[in-house]
Amino acid sequence: MSSPSLPERFRSLVDRHQLLRPMDRVLLAASGGLDSTVLAHLLHEEGYTFGIAHCNYGLRGADSDGDAQFVGALAARLGAAFHVTTIELPRAGGETIQLQFTARTKRYKYFEKILDEYTYDVLCTAHHLDDSLETMLINLLRGTGLSGIRGIAPRTAFPVVRPLLEASRAEILAFARSRELYWREDASNASTNYLRNALRHRVVPLLREYGLQDDGLRGTLSHLRSAERLLLRGATREPAFVRTGPVLTWDRAGDELDPVDALTVLRLLSPDTGFTAEQYRQMVYSEGTTRLSSRTHEAFVSPGLVRLQPLAPSYGPHTVRELPYEVHLPGLGRLLLDVVPPPQQLKTAGTQYVRFPGFPLHLRPRRNGDRFAPLGMEGRTKKVKDYFTDAKVPPWERDATPLLCDADGHIVLIVGHRIAEPYAVGNEGKDVLRVRLQRQGPDPS
């Protein structure tokens, strides 16, 4: 039985995983190399409406400019829209893991901008079977779990699809030669100074020599991805793990899972958060309270609870010079300030009333050493840090909760919590400052 042709592999993967629909507007990420050039021709032959996006990093001088010109000409020949940008990267130290991470981050930010601006439905990349194998080997060397050895997924969030994922590099090359296609060769791909290239040129040929076949690799990766899906389906039913929008909470105190199993579930339910293996280990085995951060997420760990969430953007500081005033506090909700007559009832859920201290007012995050005189403590002061601890304010709310200060920097109140004694409302009959925090509801899961 003959092997499927490259177009047949393309159509089979697209249909099985519903990667592309006939009406989709597709954005192809293209470098000008063999893989993306072949994929551009396949998209054209299969009748998709698509554009091509290229990022010029300028790291190889005239060769980089030549790549951009080649991709532009390719787009013109295939009747595709062409989007190109120049991305500046630090040159010191040569190509490093950090440089690659920076390049990828900027590249995908550009793709996201083009997807939105030109209303493309999906981003298409030319990753293939050999890329999946190399990724598996890299992850094995660094230490990984199931998600690291099942190779590259056909579809990921963004949305990104990879319709060549079951085609080998040899099949792609054979297709290109049969159609007499031209492409650009990056000389750095021949270097073995970088891990992926070293595996590609030294290790993978040995695996082939010892009997690794493409069909066997396809089957193995398919079974591993299936096992991951089944495990994920079961993990999402673990009652101790609750996802609310982008936030994952693990009730350690009420969980009966073995720590090793809990570690597996925690990693499976939090892909693409950037935490290291050691950080995950601390989440499971730490007996105290700690806070862990990656480039994109943070984890709050206590003896009874672990909470993973995206890093919240800073909300301030803000200076308030007129009322009414409204601002969104990331992670908390909407804050509204205005002046009203003294209310009959000072204790209202979500609302604080204080003597109006005049303008300007300042909203700012807490700082080390902050102290205030909480109402009811007869003028004695207390550290804001100690107040949060005693009031059992969740660790993930402490940095997100601002302080309202007067023109001299004295703390008037902790938003949503306690006012300071000097600003307590008396019997003067004057208008008062009303501070309302409308907490945001949980994000839909």
Side-chain angles (χ1 to χ4, degrees):
M1 183 176 178
S2 61
S3 298
S5 67
L6 187 64
E8 288 171 337
R9 288 206 188 280
F10 173 96
R11 288 191 289 269
S12 173
L13 189 65
V14 164
D15 292 343
R16 276 188 287 117
H17 293 276
Q18 299 180 335
L19 301 185
L20 298 172
R21 301 168 300 175
M23 72 289 293
D24 278 342
R25 285 172 45 80
V26 179
L27 179 65
L28 170 64
S31 65
L34 168 66
D35 310 325
S36 57
T37 299
V38 165
L39 184 51
H41 282 272
L42 278 173
L43 289 170
H44 177 70
E45 290 183 13
E46 296 294 322
Y48 288 98
T49 299
F50 70 102
I52 298 179
H54 176 78
C55 297
N56 182 355
Y57 302 108
L59 295 176
R60 295 180 293 114
D63 284 343
S64 294
D65 294 336
D67 291 345
Q69 293 167 7
F70 173 83
V71 177
L74 173 66
R77 286 198 306 275
L78 299 180
F82 180 50
H83 312 277
V84 63
T85 189
T86 299
I87 295 178
E88 293 187 3
L89 294 174
R91 295 172 180 268
E95 188 171 1
T96 63
I97 292 176
Q98 180 59 42
L99 184 67
Q100 293 169 359
F101 176 84
T102 301
R104 186 185 188 281
T105 300
K106 292 187 175 184
R107 178 167 70 246
Y108 274 84
K109 280 188 178 297
Y110 174 67
F111 294 154
E112 185 174 19
K113 174 179 178 292
I114 297 302
L115 282 169
D116 179 64
E117 185 174 345
Y118 293 90
T119 63
Y120 288 105
D121 296 297
V122 66
L123 177 69
C124 201
T125 68
H127 292 92
H128 49 71
L129 186 65
D130 293 71
D131 291 322
S132 248
L133 174 60
E134 292 159 11
T135 298
M136 174 195 287
L137 295 173
I138 289 171
N139 290 334
L140 280 173
L141 290 173
R142 293 173 177 170
T144 189
L146 181 56
S147 62
I149 61 171
R150 51 89 164 127
I152 301 171
R155 174 191 292 276
T156 57
F158 197 81
V160 178
V161 298
R162 302 172 175 117
L164 289 184
L165 202 57
E166 291 189 349
S168 69
R169 181 178 283 112
E171 289 173 329
I172 293 171
L173 178 60
F175 175 87
R177 287 174 173 168
S178 70
R179 303 298 175 90
E180 298 184 342
L181 302 182
Y182 295 92
W183 61 91
R184 298 277 293 181
E185 291 286 0
D186 184 343
S188 66
N189 288 336
S191 170
T192 57
N193 292 334
Y194 316 123
L195 179 57
R196 183 175 291 273
N197 284 0
L199 292 171
R200 179 179 303 161
H201 296 301
R202 293 176 178 172
V203 177
V204 172
L206 280 176
L207 293 176
R208 301 285 190 194
E209 182 180 329
Y210 284 116
L212 177 64
Q213 299 292 321
D214 289 340
D215 285 342
L217 179 58
R218 290 186 190 97
T220 297
L221 294 176
S222 176
H223 289 310
L224 288 171
R225 285 195 289 268
S226 175
E228 183 186 39
R229 288 193 296 272
L230 291 172
L231 180 58
L232 181 59
R233 183 183 302 175
T236 56
R237 295 172 183 170
E238 283 291 337
F241 294 83
V242 177
R243 180 178 297 284
T244 306
V247 178
L248 176 67
T249 304
W250 172 36
D251 178 11
R252 298 176 72 188
D255 193 359
E256 298 180 355
L257 282 178
D258 178 275
V260 174
D261 295 338
L263 179 60
T264 297
V265 174
L266 189 62
R267 295 188 68 163
L268 190 67
L269 293 179
S270 58
D272 304 321
T273 54
F275 291 111
T276 65
E278 172 58 23
Q279 287 176 316
Y280 276 114
R281 192 195 67 79
Q282 291 181 51
M283 294 178 204
V284 173
Y285 291 100
S286 174
E287 297 180 356
T289 299
T290 187
R291 178 178 179 178
L292 307 168
S293 297
S294 70
R295 288 187 178 96
T296 59
H297 287 71
E298 56 189 345
F300 299 92
V301 182
S302 67
L305 189 75
V306 174
R307 177 185 171 101
L308 282 67
Q309 64 185 39
L311 290 170
S314 174
Y315 60 83
H318 293 279
T319 298
V320 181
R321 300 187 184 276
E322 60 181 19
L323 296 173
Y325 182 84
E326 178 179 330
V327 65
H328 175 71
L329 304 177
L332 288 181
R334 190 165 61 125
L335 181 66
L336 303 100
L337 308 180
D338 58 3
V339 172
V340 298
Q344 295 294 323
Q345 176 58 260
L346 290 175
K347 293 185 178 180
T348 305
T351 303
Q352 298 164 287
Y353 297 95
V354 292
R355 289 192 300 106
F356 180 48
F359 294 115
L361 296 169
H362 301 285
L363 280 165
R364 65 168 176 83
R366 63 173 177 153
R367 300 170 184 156
N368 290 334
D370 272 336
R371 302 185 72 94
F372 78 125
L375 180 63
M377 288 188 59
E378 300 177 349
R380 288 174 291 147
T381 65
K382 187 172 189 173
K383 285 186 176 180
V384 172
K385 176 183 177 182
D386 293 339
Y387 168 80
F388 280 141
T389 301
D390 295 344
K392 295 182 171 54
V393 177
W396 53 88
E397 280 194 11
R398 297 178 187 181
D399 287 340
T401 300
L403 311 178
L404 179 66
C405 303
D406 65 15
D408 296 322
H410 300 127
I411 296 174
V412 176
L413 57 82
I414 301 175
V415 171
H417 291 279
R418 185 72 69 88
I419 70 173
E421 181 88 42
Y423 299 93
V425 175
N427 298 318
E428 301 91 344
K430 296 181 179 179
D431 287 351
V432 298
L433 178 66
R434 179 172 62 176
V435 181
R436 290 176 290 168
L437 177 61
Q438 298 178 346
R439 290 185 177 271
Q440 62 189 24
D443 296 324
S445 58

